[in-house]
């Protein structure tokens, strides 16, 4: 009955229950699992693993593409399975375990994981668990809503468990473009020269004898958790659109701008949403995750093509996307994250990268990950792949958080994910700071004037002025560089009552 | 009499004195000048500019490849010419002016400057001043000991001043490989697929009518300022060689290792020097600057090929190199720094990057540039191009400085140039910390055990342990994260007297 989902008859006897498949995972193993930004993760087998660990405890190293949906990271954490986890996560329960030091989390650039595996600097992968729409006659695996690291996990793993998701339409076939770089020292240029380039196979090529188990599931991807645009995110989008108009006027960009990348989350999604009402046209995306805004831009006639590694939509957009899949399919390609985030391609295409900052400082250093320099939020994700190598690197944030108790612009960030060298433009709802070609003292002036919330402006100016009087290329007062953070920890707010 | 140096007869009437050429530079201009790590900088014209500014003050933005020799940055600073300077410098007088906030210094990844110029995010270049061995019949400029940014400066500039250095042998012709990436959105892959790849022209192609002046000089490059290897640098090299042997034993590297990059300076040069007595063979370099160690490795039969953007040698090696130029020439290529440092090529070739840290912290973040987070030393140079995109990124430092008054390993670095995501291996004379695949708490354990000087070990362990008890993925005590630096500023030493 599943002949169109398992097209290689000899594999039919590999079909088993998730519980049976989960038994292939043994204590101490390294497991590579599909899933990127809550899209296309294996679902039935990891949940069966969590069940089993309740009675038969075991621990593994779990690698994925990026974050998982369906509370899988929570369930695996609660079951005590995760000894080590990489390269990204967004789950509150796992996050707490990481911050307690119970799960060793390796926060990695998303393009790098498979490079490290391939060169045996990490690994080896014992078992890969990959969600699929179908298995081809030749054993090739057709992914679902993400490619992520699935291809290299499956190619390098000793055994592969395929989880066929019957809720995903067969029409996904053809959406993917799986290209694996050739081996060093004979590695050839990656032939992607435009967002549209198709350079690989529409499936993951593996040796079919490695497929050790096939299970079925019907569980959907978790919907995107993005919140709808609001007045602040609309203001951020507005500043950015005004800036792009200026760049077009100066002749530095055309009306199609440059290939756009946008990080996950509410703000980056809202910024792209804002382009619907902009004058720009024939836009292209070369991004990691395609979000609601991608579909909206297609439908508004603004977007010509979108390349990503996954597609993560809210409930309404999921329905629209799936019911019109044929009409979107020739305008979308999903690639391995190594290719969507590849330094080579990012520099070649000249991408405009738009990512979200947790906080940034008056000199333009960005913290994307650590609250008070200590507590992990999610991880750096792909933002470092893009920021270092992009044509233009933009970071967005609301100027304050927690009802103004936290300023997102601080004298010195408590953790640096993106340094001054990699940050071209900063935007809050207050305004936009164009830092290109500026020295640190000049950057401080522009950032404080344009981006800081008025409640914090005087304090920021005061810090910068007092530091500058003592001298230095990047003037700081080390004894009080973190005073705002310490006040927040002590009193609940960064605001100075005096 | 200079027909072999100026092979296009119509250009002979452009010959003038440095003073005459210097008059082409007007107040407010942006000048792009040759010169990379004290090699191949224009000499006569900038010195004439400095003379002129003493009586006729003017200010410019000066862009170069990297650092200059012949005290040119000092002379230009003293003459008050530099309003803005980028992307790198090493001069004490200029450094002081930068730290006083008098010269606006833009500290840039060395691969990025010409990308920003080409896309008109900086610039335009009014005048390029390029040292040459000769000018070809077609007007093409043959560089001397560096390529740096010279090609793109000359191609984009409105006017070009060529400074023919008669002290440089004509035999340099053929050493260079000038490749300029094609324009976006039709940029093709950069065809460099090995250290040896020659993919461009052996000269800088420009429109000859742009050559506005030609001057002659006989001044040599300044010799390298590297100090000879000592017991500490030998220990660092020893740890690294032991590590490489282990990697070979594990099958992750062959006896030719992988293409090597080494940053400027005494320690990186000494590390490469150490490879002379190693078992490795058929080594290759894909680096920025070729230093004494490059020639020594050639002569020891260890090195098969070296690709760089400049060649900067001490007096003895300069003589050896120049008197045997023919024998080295087919084993060396000098490229534009955009290509020597290109993310695309660095990731493709799988480079081992070895760079020097000013300080690093117990979690593996590296400060390459700022003393006490404030005072600029030199600049990030190309280390960021390599560290982010390399196969393996190694940072080296002596464990202490100033007779143990400064520990190079600190609880938290005061400035981050290379973050935890980009640092694979740390080495001091005490030992080597292999951080691959480790979470921050694990890294702290390894770094403190292997790299910290015994005088600081207990204090580092104490900080890490107390921070870890309070929790967090990267545990820190913000209120005392910079205490070591503050103590040094207050008492002259980071050592706690208690």
């Amino acid at each position: 009955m599943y002949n169109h989902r398992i097209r290689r008859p000899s594999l039919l006897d590999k079909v088993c229950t998730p519980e049976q498949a989960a038994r292939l995972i043994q204590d101490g193993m390294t497991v590579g699992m599909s899933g990127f930004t809550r899209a296309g993760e294996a679902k039935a087998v990891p949940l069966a693993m969590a069940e089993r660990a309740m009675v038969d405890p075991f621990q593994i190293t779990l690698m994925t593409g990026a974050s998982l949906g369906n509370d899988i990271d929570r369930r695996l954490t609660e079951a005590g399975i995760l000894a080590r986890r990489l390269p990204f996560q967004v789950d509150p329960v796992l996050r707490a375990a990481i911050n307690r030091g119970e799960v060793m989390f390796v926060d990695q650039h998303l393009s790098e994981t498979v490079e490290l595996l391939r060169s045996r600097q990490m690994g080896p992968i014992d078992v890969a668990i990959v969600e699929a729409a179908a298995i081809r006659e030749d054993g090739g695996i057709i992914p679902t809503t993400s490619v992520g690291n699935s291809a290299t996990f499956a190619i390098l793993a000793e055994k592969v468990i395929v989880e066929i998701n019957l809720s995903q339409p067969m029409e996904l076939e053809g959406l993917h473009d799986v290209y694996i770089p050739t081996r060093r020292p004979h590695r050839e240029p990656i032939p992607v020269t435009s967002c549209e380039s198709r350079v690989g196979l529409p499936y993951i090529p593996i040796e079919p004898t490695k497929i050790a188990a096939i299970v079925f599931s019907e569980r959907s991807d978790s919907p995107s958790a993005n919140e709808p645009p609001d007045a602040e995110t609309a203001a951020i989008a507005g500043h950015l659109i005004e800036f792009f108009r200026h760049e077009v006027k100066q002749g530095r960009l055309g009306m199609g701008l440059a290939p756009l990348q946008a990080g996950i989350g509410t703000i980056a999604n809202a910024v792209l949403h804002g382009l619907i009402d902009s004058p720009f046209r024939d836009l292209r995306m070369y991004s990691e995750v395609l979000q609601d805004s991608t579909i909206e831009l297609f439908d508004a006639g603004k977007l010509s093509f979108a390349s990503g590694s996954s597609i993560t939509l809210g409930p309404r957009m999921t329905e629209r996307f799936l019911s019109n899949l044929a009409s979107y399919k020739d305008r979308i390609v999903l690639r391995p994250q190594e290719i969507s985030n590849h330094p080579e391609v990012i520099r070649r295409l000249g991408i405009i990268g738009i990512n979200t900052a947790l906080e940034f400082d008056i000199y333009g250093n960005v913290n994307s990950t650590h609250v008070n320099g200590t507590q992990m939020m999610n991880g750096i994700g792909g933002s470092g792949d893009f920021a270092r190598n992009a044509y233009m690197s933009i970071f967005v944030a609301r100027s304050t958080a927690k009802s103004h108790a936290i300023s997102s612009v601080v004298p010195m960030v408590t953790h640096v994910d993106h340094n001054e060298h990699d940050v071209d433009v900063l935007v809050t709802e207050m305004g936009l700071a164009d830092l290109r070609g500026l020295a640190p003292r000049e950057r401080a002036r522009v950032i404080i004037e344009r981006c800081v919330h008025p409640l914090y402006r005087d304090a920021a100016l005061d810090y910068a002025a007092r530091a500058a009087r003592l001298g230095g290329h990047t003037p700081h007062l080390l004894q009080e560089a973190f005073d705002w953070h310490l006040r927040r920890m002590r009193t609940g707010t960064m605001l100075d009552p005096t």
Side-chain angles (χ1 to χ4, degrees), chain A residues 59-60 77-78 80-85 93-105:
Chain A
Q59 288 209 309
I60 63 168
T77 304
E78 288 171 350
I81 292 177
L82 300 179
R84 192 173 296 273
R85 178 77 176 87
V93 171
L94 172 53
R95 178 186 302 150
I98 289 168
N99 285 321
R100 285 193 304 271
E102 291 167 12
V103 176
M104 293 295 104
F105 178 56

Side-chain angles (χ1 to χ4, degrees), chain A residues 128-350:
Chain A
I129 313 175
V130 177
E131 182 176 273
I135 301 174
R136 289 161 43 103
E137 274 187 9
D138 59 8
I141 298 169
I142 299 164
T144 59
T145 47
S146 69
V147 181
N149 286 324
S150 302
T152 295
F153 287 163
I155 289 167
L156 296 179
E158 198 180 326
K159 293 178 183 174
V160 178
I161 300 173
V162 180
E163 204 174 299
I164 294 181
N165 192 321
L166 300 172
S167 80
Q168 292 289 2
M170 282 301 307
E171 289 68 30
L172 290 172
E173 186 171 6
L175 194 63
H176 316 92
D177 184 57
V178 178
Y179 177 88
I180 307 290
T182 50
R183 289 263 171 165
R184 298 183 188 120
H186 305 292
R187 188 179 286 188
E188 295 298 316
I190 292 167
V192 175
T193 56
S194 72
C195 299
E196 292 88 340
S197 294
R198 285 191 163 267
V199 300
L201 300 169
Y203 60 90
I204 299 168
I206 64 160
E207 177 51 55
T209 56
K210 292 209 303 186
I211 296 179
I214 300 171
V215 308
F216 291 103
S217 91
E218 297 195 328
R219 203 183 269 260
S220 307
D221 286 346
S222 298
S224 159
N226 286 346
E227 288 161 37
D230 58 30
E232 279 181 2
T233 61
I236 292 171
H239 297 311
L240 207 45
I241 288 165
E242 190 190 322
F243 169 74
F244 287 148
R245 291 176 81 120
H246 175 77
E247 291 295 297
V248 171
K249 209 166 159 187
Q250 297 296 313
R252 288 192 283 263
L253 290 173
M255 291 302 278
L257 303 181
L260 298 167
Q261 174 261 338
I264 57 166
T266 298
I267 304 180
N269 183 59
V271 165
L272 286 197
H273 177 89
L275 290 171
I276 292 173
D277 297 318
S278 76
F280 311 113
R281 53 178 182 268
D282 197 18
L283 298 168
R284 281 166 172 74
M285 292 185 71
Y286 195 86
S287 197
E288 304 169 313
V289 51
L290 308 182
Q291 305 179 73
D292 282 358
S293 50
T294 305
I295 304 300
E296 293 173 304
L297 285 166
F298 274 134
D299 293 352
K302 289 289 183 185
L303 188 66
S304 300
F305 199 89
S307 166
S309 190
S310 77
I311 184 154
T312 305
L313 305 173
R316 207 164 54 90
M317 285 298 157
T318 299
E319 203 195 311
R320 194 192 295 182
F321 174 68
L322 290 179
S323 54
N324 297 285
L325 190 48
S327 86
Y328 295 113
K329 209 165 135 184
D330 59 351
R331 291 179 283 169
I332 291 179
V333 61
L334 297 184
R335 309 178 190 277
Q337 68 197 70
E338 154 178 49
I339 305 299
S340 65
N341 289 33
H342 204 291
E344 170 173 341
V345 180
I346 291 167
R347 182 66 67 94
R348 180 180 301 145
L349 298 186

Side-chain angles (χ1 to χ4, degrees), chain A residues 440-486:
Chain A
R441 286 168 188 245
E442 298 170 309
R443 279 187 235 139
R445 216 156 42 227
V446 177
I447 291 171
I448 295 172
E449 185 188 317
R450 303 287 173 82
C451 296
V452 176
H453 191 280
L455 283 169
Y456 289 94
R457 199 168 287 159
D458 288 347
L461 281 170
D462 175 61
Y463 178 89
R466 286 185 297 117
R469 277 200 291 279
L470 290 182
H473 175 61
T474 305
H476 269 302
L477 304 166
L478 285 194
Q479 66 279 13
E480 57 177 282
F482 297 144
D483 273 6
W484 296 21
H485 299 88
L486 291 166

